[in-house]
Amino acid sequence: MADDGPKNDDEATGGGKGALGELVKAESMIQLAIALPAGCVIGWLVGSWLDRHFHQSWISIAGILLGALAGFVQIFRTASRYLKNDRS
């Protein structure tokens, strides 16, 4: 009979015990390492564009802070999802 695909949700999402599951875990760890710096850089770029547009000098600092906050939120969301999947 033909293979009907993954037998459970763990295999379908890559949370299984194979090489694919390990790659998904590695991708989550890389995502954790990139989230904060990427948020800060994107916030700084948007803030400096707004600084030039509105002739201000403080918006880029606010952009960096908002980007850092967004990076931390992404880190916590990814870590909690990883920990939740690790327990089951």
Side-chain angles (χ1 to χ4, degrees):
M1 182 170 212
D3 186 23
D4 293 334
K7 303 292 185 238
N8 60 26
D9 288 338
D10 282 345
E11 291 176 14
T13 59
K17 296 255 192 230
L20 185 60
E22 294 301 317
L23 286 175
V24 170
K25 288 179 185 179
E27 183 268 335
S28 294
M29 294 299 113
I30 291 170
Q31 198 175 35
L32 287 175
I34 292 175
L36 185 61
C40 289
V41 168
I42 292 170
W44 173 66
L45 290 173
V46 170
S48 53
W49 179 80
L50 288 172
D51 277 343
R52 286 191 306 274
H53 185 71
F54 292 118
H55 306 290
Q56 297 291 319
S57 61
W58 59 271
I59 302 175
S60 60
I61 296 171
I64 292 171
L65 293 175
L66 287 174
L69 179 66
F72 277 122
V73 167
Q74 184 64 29
I75 286 171
F76 289 131
R77 289 175 63 202
T78 304
S80 67
R81 183 174 53 234
Y82 176 74
L83 291 174
K84 184 176 73 172
N85 286 343
D86 198 31
R87 289 181 191 163
S88 19

